[in-house]
């Protein structure tokens, strides 16, 4: 997509018009009185469009509430949205554009590889970036003061998932994997965590295999679980369909630590075949009063059950609004405030600290549990394991 000035729109892969800049409750006046926050969201393919839609819903809801309450220091907040389409180069260019447009900070991004490009560029431009949803441990090569993150690091979440597998009696695990830093890191985390417990990870490279060929390899592997470390809906959905139809694999459990079954599209595409596939969710077992209120508002905005990604978007704006209101709207003031801010988020109190092995300011930690969709009622989630 070509660069467009705020207010323009682009058409997504499903034909809907996507806004490139949104100014809820009258924000974004031409006189420059608004406080601009840049939002990076995957809104078109090959990005995970449904995740982007939920993320944007959370961001917009929170901005609207901030502005309805009078804005920040009497000034409205304007969300300037750019579509990343899961493209690191496009995202990096968007960061430069947003920096020139005068945003005080950046929020968002779902895809880890894209978020890493955003974090690297933001660090180089001295532009604060609050990463809402990407989990790759190494968001930047070197420690930086300019980047903070809400989502738990991949190493933590995926170790929780490995503990779930071990507790369920699975020690020989097959992974259907694709080529990316994120999937490679996930495979390594699983292998390192399972090995001391006698666990084994068998890699099935989906760059070289069809779903039918994967089934043949899986049938002879002795694995009792297959994890989907691949993109969604392709090739994740065809893999699930092939495995479910193969009688040799009737006892093999399918898992998706990256969260593919979280979104309603999963059930629309797979029906009952998409149930009983455990995945990671970054939500508490039970929401508090704030979380429950936001859940209702997100449900109305999305016309479907909000994912944890929508809550991440809402919390990201809550954190930035708290910082801007208390510490000022200068970019350096924002960056210097990461270790001082304390905000009540939808999923618990949010504070940032330095965490070993993590190069950015990290909320340690967002709540984590493993869930799946109930086979008897695929729209209902079951909690299978909690941290």
């Amino acid at each position: 997509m070509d660069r467009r000035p705020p207010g323009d729109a682009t058409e997504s892969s499903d034909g809907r018009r996507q806004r490139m800049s949104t100014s809820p409750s009258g924000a974004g006046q031409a006189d420059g009185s608004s406080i601009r926050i840049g939002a990076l969201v995957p809104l078109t393919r090959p990005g995970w469009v449904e995740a982007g839609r939920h993320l944007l819903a959370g961001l917009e809801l929170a901005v609207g509430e901030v502005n309805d309450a009078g804005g920040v220091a009497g000034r409205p907040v304007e969300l300037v949205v750019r579509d990343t389409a899961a493209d690191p180069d496009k995202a990096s260019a968007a960061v430069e554009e947003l920096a020139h447009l005068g945003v005080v900070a950046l929020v968002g991004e779902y895809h880890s590889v894209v978020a890493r490009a955003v974090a690297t560029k933001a660090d180089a431009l001295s532009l604060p970036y609050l990463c809402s949803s990407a989990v790759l441990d190494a968001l930047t090569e070197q420690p930086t003061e300019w980047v903070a993150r809400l989502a738990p690091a991949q190493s933590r979440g995926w170790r929780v998932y490995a503990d779930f597998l071990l507790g369920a009696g699975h020690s020989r695990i097959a992974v259907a994997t694709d080529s990316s830093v994120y999937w490679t890191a996930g495979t390594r985390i699983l292998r390192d965590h399972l090995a001391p417990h006698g666990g084994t990870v068998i890699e099935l490279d989906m760059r070289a295999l069809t779903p039918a060929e994967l089934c043949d390899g899986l049938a002879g592997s002795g694995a009792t679980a297959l994890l989907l470390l691949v993109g969604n809906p392709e090739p994740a959905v065809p893999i699930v369909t092939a495995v479910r139809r193969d009688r040799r694999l009737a006892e093999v459990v399918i898992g998706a630590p990256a969260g593919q079954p979280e979104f309603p599209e999963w059930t629309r595409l797979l029906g009952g075949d998409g149930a009983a596939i455990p995945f990671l969710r970054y939500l508490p077992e039970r929401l508090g009063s704030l979380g429950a209120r936001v859940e209702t508002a997100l449900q109305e905005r999305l016309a479907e059950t909000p994912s944890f990604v929508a809550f991440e978007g809402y919390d990201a704006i809550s954190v930035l609004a708290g910082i801007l209101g208390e510490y000022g709207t200068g970019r350096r003031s924002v960056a210097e405030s990461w270790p001082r801010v304390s905000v009540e988020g939808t999923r618990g109190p949010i504070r940032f600290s330095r965490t070993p092995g993590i190069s950015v300011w990290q909320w340690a930690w967002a709540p984590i549990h493993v869930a799946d969709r109930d086979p008897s009622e695929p729209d209902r989630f079951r909690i299978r394991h909690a941290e």
Side-chain angles (χ1 to χ4, degrees), residues 143-179:
T144 175
E145 63 180 318
W146 294 98
V147 182
R149 175 167 56 189
L150 289 175
Q154 186 181 15
S155 57
R156 186 175 184 87
W158 286 46
R159 283 197 296 264
V160 170
Y161 196 89
D163 287 338
F164 159 71
L165 292 173
L166 290 168
H170 301 288
S171 59
R172 191 167 178 81
I173 312 299
V175 296
T177 188
D178 202 350
S179 175

Side-chain angles (χ1 to χ4, degrees), residues 51 57 69 86 89 92 94 105 121 181 207 211 222 257 266 273 298 308 320 322 335 361 381:
D89 292 334
S92 183
K121 180 63 71 172
V181 173
R207 293 171 299 174
W266 185 259
D273 284 345
L298 287 168
F308 66 83
L320 281 180
W361 290 100
F381 295 108

Side-chain angles (χ1 to χ4, degrees), residues 26-382:
Q29 302 302 317
D31 61 6
S33 63
S34 64
I35 299 171
R36 288 183 157 189
I37 296 174
L40 297 156
V41 188
L43 295 174
T44 54
R45 302 291 184 192
W48 198 337
V49 173
E50 196 167 22
R53 189 168 66 87
H54 280 232
L55 176 55
L56 184 58
L59 293 169
E60 289 184 329
L61 175 64
V63 168
E65 291 185 0
V66 168
N67 287 333
D68 287 345
V72 173
R75 297 170 63 191
V77 174
E78 178 187 0
L79 198 64
V80 185
V81 183
R82 291 294 180 268
D83 173 25
T84 66
D87 184 332
D89 292 334
K90 175 180 277 190
S92 183
V95 172
E96 289 203 40
E97 179 195 7
L98 290 166
H100 289 307
L101 288 174
V103 301
V104 299
L106 303 170
V107 291
E109 194 44 45
Y110 180 81
H111 299 280
S112 283
V113 175
V114 179
R116 187 171 65 165
V118 172
T120 299
K121 180 63 71 172
D123 181 50
L125 296 176
S126 299
L127 179 60
Y129 171 39
L130 178 53
C131 179
S132 62
S133 306
V135 300
L136 192 68
D137 282 37
L139 274 184
T140 56
E141 292 296 327
Q142 301 295 329
T144 175
E145 63 180 318
W146 294 98
V147 182
R149 175 167 56 189
L150 289 175
Q154 186 181 15
S155 57
R156 186 175 184 87
W158 286 46
R159 283 197 296 264
V160 170
Y161 196 89
D163 287 338
F164 159 71
L165 292 173
L166 290 168
H170 301 288
S171 59
R172 191 167 178 81
I173 312 299
V175 296
T177 188
D178 202 350
S179 175
S180 86
V181 173
Y182 176 66
W183 301 124
T184 300
T187 302
R188 183 178 63 252
I189 292 163
L190 292 168
R191 180 177 285 115
D192 290 348
H193 195 69
L194 292 169
H197 303 278
T200 302
V201 174
I202 303 159
E203 293 188 52
L204 300 171
D205 187 351
M206 294 312 299
R207 293 171 299 174
L209 299 173
T210 66
E213 290 169 338
L214 175 140
C215 289
D216 291 339
L218 185 59
S221 70
T224 60
L226 169 69
L227 305 187
L228 304 172
L229 309 193
V230 292
N232 185 63
E234 298 288 341
V237 168
I239 291 172
V240 172
T241 300
V243 172
R244 295 294 200 209
R245 299 292 183 271
D246 195 318
R247 294 181 180 179
R248 299 171 297 173
L249 307 176
E251 301 302 317
V252 173
V253 170
I254 305 175
Q260 293 93 327
E262 168 77 9
F263 299 95
E265 180 188 40
W266 185 259
T267 299
R268 290 195 293 268
L269 293 174
L270 282 165
D273 284 345
I277 298 179
F279 62 96
L280 285 167
R281 293 183 100 200
Y282 304 130
L283 289 173
E285 295 183 63
R286 185 182 298 274
L287 291 168
S289 57
L290 173 61
R293 179 186 67 76
V294 170
E295 180 181 41
T296 298
L298 287 168
Q299 173 92 36
E300 293 174 355
R301 180 176 286 263
L302 289 164
E304 61 190 23
T305 301
S307 69
F308 66 83
V309 180
F311 289 93
E312 289 173 330
Y314 184 95
D315 285 342
I317 293 298
S318 296
V319 168
L320 281 180
I323 288 175
L324 295 169
E326 186 168 358
Y327 299 107
T329 59
R331 291 176 178 175
R332 178 158 292 280
S333 296
V334 173
E336 291 175 348
S337 302
W338 299 132
R340 293 185 285 171
V341 68
S342 179
V343 171
E344 186 63 31
T346 59
R347 299 163 295 150
I350 299 172
R351 300 179 183 88
F352 297 103
S353 60
R354 288 296 190 186
T355 303
I358 307 299
S359 60
V360 303
W361 290 100
Q362 176 72 53
W363 177 22
W365 296 95
I368 302 172
H369 68 254
V370 179
D372 68 2
R373 290 182 177 272
D374 189 337
S376 64
E377 191 180 344
D379 288 335
R380 188 176 77 86
F381 295 108
R382 306 182 299 184

